[in-house]
Amino acid sequence: MTNLAEDPTASATTNAEGGGGGGALRCPPPAVVLVEPQLGENIGAAARAMANFGLADLRLVAPRDGWPSEKARAAASRADHVVDGARVFATTAEAVADLRFVYATTARTRGLPKVVVGPREAAATLRARAAAGQGTGILFGRERWGLMNEEIALADEIVTFPVEPAFASLNIAQAVLLMSYEWMASGLEAGALPTRGAVPAFDATPAPKAQLVGLMEHLEQALDEAAYFRSEDKRPAMVANLRAILQRAGFTEPEVKVLRGVVAALERRHEKRRRASGNE
């Protein structure tokens, strides 16, 4: 085994705790284990996907073209902390030796007696295990034929993606991206976005009826001046329809104020035109 980082686990933990997602993201993320990856570009793209969602512990099992890889660094698009912290192992068993719970990603269970779950359920399980102090990881197979039976046997459960059965094969980086996304999403509170924090709740409290009636009367007055009610005998029905529309919308106080401002702007424009016509 060749160790290319002094303490990548500490790096992964620091990254998880220091990210913008807040307290919900504080348990250590799973290790990402790429088994015999062939292309440096795929490794780099996987590292980028990990960094996007707060993962940093990248483990490589016998990469075909060796390590380190400048092609991987270029494809990682500045996810240098993931690339620099990557560790290389001779076998899959060595790569997962320190972990207590591992998922294998595969579209084919091959008759193995293992629980099969989707990525969302897997992410929730990984987070619960990590919160309990258990090291976790996810195995990703080779570009061409995925994981072998003996490698899947090292995993506790299988995770498979809800993809089109006739075209179920995913690129390694795509698979890493999907699992990394589900990992981060599983730790977010409803409506929270790490790059923005919690999304403020919209206050949908309806405006007081007095304000709504004021809007109705203001609009009706403006429409009178614009000669909207062309037929006096139909005016009551038209007014009733307008009031029903405004009532049904359930406008809030700020929305009523905005609409009053719109009506006032139209009134001023109408007044300017009327003055211009009078001056002529």
Side-chain angles (χ1 to χ4, degrees):
M1 178 182 75
T2 303
N3 190 337
L4 300 182
E6 293 183 0
D7 191 3
T9 303
S11 174
T13 304
T14 300
N15 188 61
E17 293 182 350
L25 301 179
R26 289 189 179 277
C27 54
V32 169
V33 183
L34 306 185
V35 179
E36 296 184 3
Q38 297 175 14
L39 300 175
E41 292 89 341
N42 284 345
I43 298 172
R48 179 179 183 178
M50 291 171 62
N52 285 149
F53 299 102
L55 283 73
D57 187 356
L58 175 60
R59 307 182 182 192
L60 308 175
V61 177
R64 184 190 68 180
D65 295 337
W67 192 260
S69 166
E70 287 306 312
K71 290 181 178 180
R73 184 176 297 278
S77 188
R78 296 192 299 277
D80 293 335
H81 65 289
V82 179
V83 173
D84 291 338
R87 289 182 287 173
V88 176
F89 297 83
T91 67
T92 305
E94 290 180 30
V96 301
D98 64 320
L99 304 178
R100 295 179 181 269
F101 188 88
V102 175
Y103 273 111
T105 59
T106 178
R108 301 180 299 278
T109 60
R110 304 174 190 179
L112 295 173
K114 290 187 180 292
V115 173
V116 180
V117 299
R120 191 157 300 172
E121 183 179 349
T125 298
L126 288 169
R127 188 167 291 278
R129 295 272 183 173
Q134 300 177 21
T136 64
I138 312 168
L139 294 176
F140 296 88
R142 303 158 185 81
E143 286 93 331
R144 290 189 178 181
W145 64 85
L147 295 168
M148 297 181 179
N149 281 7
E150 53 267 33
E151 293 159 346
I152 298 174
L154 293 170
D156 297 276
E157 296 182 3
I158 290 172
V159 58
T160 190
F161 302 107
V163 294
E164 169 57 47
F167 198 71
S169 177
L170 290 175
N171 175 275
I172 289 178
Q174 292 174 322
V176 172
L177 178 72
L178 285 172
M179 284 305 303
S180 299
Y181 166 79
E182 290 295 351
W183 161 263
M184 174 162 276
S186 71
L188 295 176
E189 297 177 359
L193 296 172
T195 53
R196 296 175 51 192
V199 178
F202 174 68
D203 184 2
T205 304
K209 295 300 181 185
Q211 290 190 14
L212 190 59
V213 170
L215 169 63
M216 294 173 178
E217 292 176 344
H218 189 180
L219 178 59
E220 290 160 20
Q221 180 181 347
L223 291 174
D224 270 328
E225 294 176 0
Y228 175 77
F229 303 111
R230 296 176 183 272
S231 175
E232 191 60 31
D233 61 329
K234 293 182 179 179
R235 187 183 190 283
M238 295 175 73
V239 167
N241 286 335
L242 281 172
R243 292 198 171 209
I245 292 170
L246 294 173
Q247 177 64 51
R248 187 167 58 248
F251 293 124
T252 63
E253 281 192 61
E255 290 171 338
V256 168
K257 291 178 181 178
V258 168
L259 291 174
R260 290 290 294 264
V262 169
V263 176
L266 293 174
E267 286 179 321
R268 289 192 296 272
R269 185 174 182 83
H270 181 69
E271 180 63 24
K272 287 181 181 179
R273 286 181 175 177
R274 187 165 54 190
R275 288 177 181 175
S277 298
N279 292 335
E280 291 177 357

